[in-house]
Amino acid sequence: MLDESLLDAPEALARADRRDLLRGAAEAGARVRTAVRHAAEAGIGGLTPEGRPRAVLVAGPGTAASGVADLIGALAGAAAPVTRIRPTGVAPAPGALRWALPGWAGSVDLLLIATADGSEPGLALLAEQAYRRGCTVVAVAPTRSPLREAVDGVHGLVVPMAAAPHGEYDAEASAAGPGTLWALLTPLLALLDRVGLVTATPEDLQKVADRLDRTAERCGPAIATYSNPAKTLAAELADSLPLLWTEGEAAGPVGRRFAAVLSELAGRPALTAQLPEALPSHGTLLAGDFAAGADPDDFFRDRVEEGETLRARVVLLRDRPGGLSAYPAARELALGHDTPVSELEPEEGGELEAVAELLAITDFATVYLSLASAPQP
């Protein structure tokens, strides 16, 4: 059960936030600025590439690396195929994970490594394999890490991962933490801007940092729920099964990351799909056991010992309003089944700014849902 009174008690939220997740969300803009500086110091701005890579490969562990690969793929669009190299192994521990290049990878391809740990032997082996194949290797990793030495050893480029301004927050949450994604993603966006795959100039990245800061002000713990989009969304998602329906290429990765962090940080299930395909794929859920009015069992049975049943709630996310849209059909389908709808749309601005705002709101909402649902001491 969600304790909604906790949402409007900043001091109580701070006490409940033992993993410093709120601080991590608030510092995302600062992490972008630090990452831009690290990218410049590493020489990314002075690179003179001979041409675009044939393909981009992205490797790294956990939710952050998955989000980096997904976002890069959406932002690059048709400029080049982007493939995430998924890890294998017997456990999620750094020492047990292994990565392998696809058989077709070669000298015209670019390997990007993103890790908040840097101690994974499997990533060092991947960098060596890429060097033997002739792939260009670029990594973002903590300053003092074995991976940094390994990539340097194969003549790759390493950009130090931007640390949190006031010290790292709990490592338990770092892989899915709000600031970690931007610390890993930002230098890679600067690199891909230089090779012509995305548009992410230093000015664009400064706008992203500013948008993250403004969104953090709107979503901060001191802002009351009625005017705080993240707290409002958290309250709306309490005791529900979120159906995250996205519209727009850049909104898809936001929805998938939202589902991932809801599971990892808040322990909440969520399903995601892109419009208009979401309507047939999730439509049956709105009429089945998860429907708002569904109660297939005996009305007179004793429910005192039972928990509340999850009911579907549609969350509509799109990166840019306007134009031909499946939103009206989505609203009609949901409301026709008495299913409540939440909507998220960014303010006007560039594509990167829109993505930043949506990510910030959903990250804050996840944190509030996690804190207000956790047992209090």
Side-chain angles (χ1 to χ4, degrees):
M1 295 292 292
L2 184 79
D3 182 1
E4 291 195 37
S5 64
L6 189 67
L7 293 178
D8 287 323
E11 293 182 0
L13 279 172
R15 289 193 298 271
D17 190 13
R18 301 179 186 87
R19 295 180 290 176
D20 285 334
L21 294 174
L22 281 171
R23 180 165 65 86
E27 292 174 346
R31 298 286 281 271
V32 169
R33 293 186 183 89
T34 303
V36 169
R37 187 174 70 250
H38 286 180
E41 292 169 351
I44 284 179
L47 293 176
T48 54
E50 297 178 357
R52 292 181 176 180
R54 175 183 64 177
V56 178
L57 303 162
V58 184
T63 304
S66 176
V68 165
D70 204 2
L71 284 163
I72 288 175
L75 294 169
V82 177
T83 301
R84 185 193 177 202
I85 304 176
R86 299 184 180 277
T88 60
V90 296
L97 295 173
R98 292 293 181 269
W99 290 262
L101 289 175
W104 50 262
S107 59
V108 292
D109 301 314
L110 173 63
L111 172 64
L112 305 178
I113 299 176
T115 174
D117 188 310
S119 67
E120 304 91 347
L123 288 176
L125 293 172
L126 178 67
E128 293 173 4
Q129 184 186 14
Y131 176 66
R132 292 193 300 270
R133 298 265 200 99
C135 295
T136 301
V137 181
V138 179
V140 181
T143 303
R144 298 179 181 85
S145 64
L147 180 63
R148 181 182 179 89
E149 298 178 6
V151 174
D152 282 338
V154 298
H155 308 290
L157 175 65
V158 183
V159 181
M161 176 183 166
H166 305 292
E168 292 292 342
Y169 47 87
D170 193 332
E172 178 184 347
S174 63
T180 304
L181 174 73
W182 288 106
L184 295 174
L185 176 64
T186 303
L188 300 180
L189 290 177
L191 171 73
L192 295 174
D193 177 77
R194 293 299 299 170
V195 300
L197 294 185
V198 303
T199 301
T201 64
E203 293 75 19
D204 293 328
L205 295 175
Q206 179 60 49
K207 290 179 181 178
V208 166
D210 293 342
R211 181 68 67 96
L212 288 169
D213 285 347
R214 290 199 303 272
T215 308
E217 291 174 0
R218 293 168 54 211
C219 298
I223 306 301
T225 298
Y226 69 86
S227 59
N228 187 319
K231 288 183 179 180
T232 298
L233 182 58
E236 289 172 346
L237 295 184
D239 305 317
S240 73
L241 173 66
L243 304 181
L244 311 176
W245 294 355
T246 65
E247 186 171 72
E249 288 299 318
V254 175
R256 290 186 285 274
R257 173 178 163 80
F258 191 18
V261 295
L262 278 172
S263 174
E264 189 165 337
L265 296 184
R268 297 299 187 98
L271 299 175
T272 183
Q274 291 186 256
L275 291 170
E277 290 86 353
L279 304 184
S281 62
H282 287 176
T284 306
L285 292 171
L286 304 183
D289 292 345
F290 296 102
D295 189 5
D297 298 321
D298 182 6
F299 176 80
F300 295 102
R301 80 177 192 279
D302 185 4
R303 295 180 175 82
V304 173
E305 300 298 327
E306 298 181 7
E308 291 291 327
T309 301
L310 291 179
R311 299 302 184 201
R313 183 180 192 97
V314 170
V315 181
L316 299 175
L317 302 97
R318 58 177 167 180
D319 49 16
R320 297 184 191 181
L324 188 63
S325 175
Y327 257 38
R331 289 193 201 95
E332 182 179 355
L333 177 64
L335 298 177
H337 288 89
D338 297 323
T339 301
V341 177
S342 302
E343 296 188 36
L344 285 182
E345 289 185 2
E347 298 174 357
E348 291 185 3
E351 185 177 38
L352 277 175
E353 292 176 83
V355 168
E357 182 176 337
L358 291 175
L359 285 170
I361 293 174
T362 52
D363 277 341
F364 267 104
T366 300
V367 172
Y368 287 128
L369 193 57
S370 173
L371 299 180
S373 301
Q376 301 303 313

